[in-house]
Amino acid sequence: MAKYFFSILLFCLSMGVYAQGNAPFIILLGTAQDGGYPHMGCEKTCCSPAWKNTTNRRFVVSMALVDPSSKKWWLFEATPDIREQLHYFNSLTKGAYNYLPEGIFITHAHIGHYTGLMELGREVMNTKNIPVYVLPRMKKYLETDGPWSQLVRLGNIQLMPLTADSTIALPDNINITAFTVPHRDEYSETAGFRIATSVKKYLFIPDVNKWEQWNRSIVKEVEQVDIALLDATFYDNGELPTRNIKEILHPLVTETMATFEKTGSQTKSKIHFIHLNHTNPMMWNKAKQAEIKKLGYNIAVQGEKL
Ligand SMILES: [Zn+2]
Ligand SMILES: [Zn+2]
Ligand SMILES: [Zn+2]
């Protein structure tokens, strides 16, 4: 009898491990601001380590949402580095998934976030109807402005309309909710995404204006998830001495940390800073990186599985 119970216990344990091994996850395929790292035209101390040594380079912010049980994956953002990033994903996952994602979710029409779509056109991949999930203004922009409208006309991409604050379901109980955030909305609105899998909830806000300009509380939003990937374009106001601080609309990392100062270490540890500008010392200064980690926050790592 004891032997019987023991084998049942072993079976349950192994199923538990199996289920966990099959749980959806995210892989960060890039952590830099739209211009990447190193930044075109920058030969200063921030970028010189990355010009000299290619292992210091970082791609523009993007991530893969991976579902091992359905063997499917989705890409968030089509960056100017998409060519490298699809190869990177394929090598990190040892070719276990289709080379192209099941779909692409895009936040907004700034170059670091959507221009990688051009690689799907007839000049390069000539893809067939890859679903591209976008909010209404972004959809209209891609439909009406060249060269993007050609991707739609030739059926390289298929636009999948999203509605702010409503949820779409992907296989295996993965739910994606787009919402809008304040940002420079010249060609499109700007989305953030909430991703809920069977095991974890994620918040993805790569580009946003000051938190006070948002009609939601960023603290409450972070508290409701397990992992929050947040805009960390600039560390502080000393970074761009030639620019008026009022022109910088992003929340500075110092401001985000002040916003979260009174929250517990558990909340702080959910935050992973992304979208780092080349001038941000969190990208290249080891002492600054250690300081941020000591305060309980994370700096997103390219290739990291979350
Ligand atoms: Zn950006
Ligand atoms: Zn630089
Ligand atoms: Zn932007």
Side-chain angles (χ1 to χ4, degrees):
M1 197 64 177
K3 201 178 161 194
Y4 177 67
F5 276 121
F6 185 66
S7 39
I8 287 188
L9 180 70
L10 266 185
F11 175 75
C12 292
L13 282 173
S14 64
M15 284 311 283
V17 169
Y18 178 75
Q20 203 173 24
N22 248 12
F25 57 89
I26 269 171
I27 300 181
L28 295 175
L29 302 178
T31 57
Q33 178 267 3
D34 301 44
Y37 177 71
H39 205 92
M40 179 164 163
C42 184
E43 301 287 346
K44 295 187 187 144
T45 48
C46 48
C47 290
S48 56
W51 290 125
K52 280 192 202 111
N53 183 347
T54 53
T55 61
N56 291 324
R57 296 185 179 188
R58 294 294 174 267
F59 300 132
V60 178
V61 166
S62 166
M63 61 187 195
L65 167 63
V66 187
D67 180 29
S69 61
S70 66
K71 276 273 169 279
K72 289 181 173 164
W73 74 283
W74 294 264
L75 181 67
F76 282 73
E77 310 288 42
T79 86
D81 293 323
I82 193 170
R83 178 171 73 114
E84 301 287 343
Q85 285 167 318
L86 290 201
H87 171 75
Y88 186 46
F89 175 77
N90 187 58
S91 61
L92 285 175
T93 55
K94 300 186 172 59
Y97 297 87
N98 282 341
Y99 202 88
L100 292 166
E102 289 298 307
I104 305 176
F105 289 82
I106 288 177
T107 57
H108 67 299
H110 283 163
I111 68 151
H113 302 262
Y114 80 103
T115 56
L117 290 176
M118 65 188 176
E119 302 276 350
L120 305 180
R122 58 160 49 139
E123 300 91 331
V124 187
M125 294 294 282
N126 198 24
T127 58
K128 296 276 169 289
N129 289 317
I130 292 207
V132 173
Y133 296 85
V134 281
L135 285 172
R137 264 189 78 197
M138 184 75 204
K139 178 170 179 283
K140 182 125 201 255
Y141 172 66
L142 294 175
E143 276 167 345
T144 52
D145 263 52
W148 323 110
S149 53
Q150 180 171 292
L151 300 172
V152 180
R153 207 172 54 245
L154 298 181
N156 299 124
I157 62 174
Q158 184 184 3
L159 296 175
M160 307 293 282
L162 294 173
T163 306
D165 302 312
S166 53
T167 299
I168 63 152
L170 300 180
D172 207 24
N173 283 326
I174 299 174
N175 289 307
I176 314 276
T177 311
F179 51 85
T180 57
V181 294
H183 189 45
R184 287 183 294 110
D185 293 343
E186 299 95 336
Y187 297 108
S188 72
E189 66 282 87
T190 301
F193 290 105
R194 218 177 283 113
I195 302 160
T197 73
S198 51
V199 285
K200 271 185 193 163
K201 291 195 179 88
Y202 304 84
L203 184 69
F204 179 62
I205 307 182
D207 248 318
V208 66
N209 286 2
K210 304 284 184 199
W211 299 119
E212 307 84 79
Q213 290 178 30
W214 197 22
N215 57 8
R216 292 186 196 174
S217 154
I218 185 59
V219 174
K220 280 191 188 140
E221 293 292 325
V222 170
E223 279 169 351
Q224 284 166 26
V225 298
D226 300 290
I227 286 167
L229 300 144
L230 301 186
D231 179 345
T233 312
F234 301 108
Y235 174 71
D236 70 9
N237 55 25
E239 223 165 294
L240 294 175
T242 54
R243 260 171 76 178
N244 185 340
I245 186 66
K246 292 205 176 90
E247 283 175 29
I248 299 177
L249 301 172
H250 296 270
L252 302 170
V253 172
T254 50
E255 291 169 338
T256 300
M257 292 194 298
T259 306
F260 282 87
E261 199 180 354
K262 292 202 170 64
T263 66
S265 56
Q266 205 209 342
T267 302
K268 288 182 183 134
S269 70
K270 294 176 176 181
I271 296 176
H272 294 247
F273 288 118
I274 55 167
H275 199 267
L276 276 65
N277 196 51
H278 65 116
T279 54
N280 187 333
M282 289 156 65
M283 183 68 104
W284 39 264
N285 181 325
K286 290 210 163 45
K288 183 58 76 186
Q289 291 165 350
E291 185 189 319
I292 303 291
K293 283 176 199 157
K294 212 170 161 209
L295 290 166
Y297 302 94
N298 305 285
I299 302 168
V301 178
Q302 185 169 299
E304 190 176 18
K305 184 173 162 180
L306 296 168

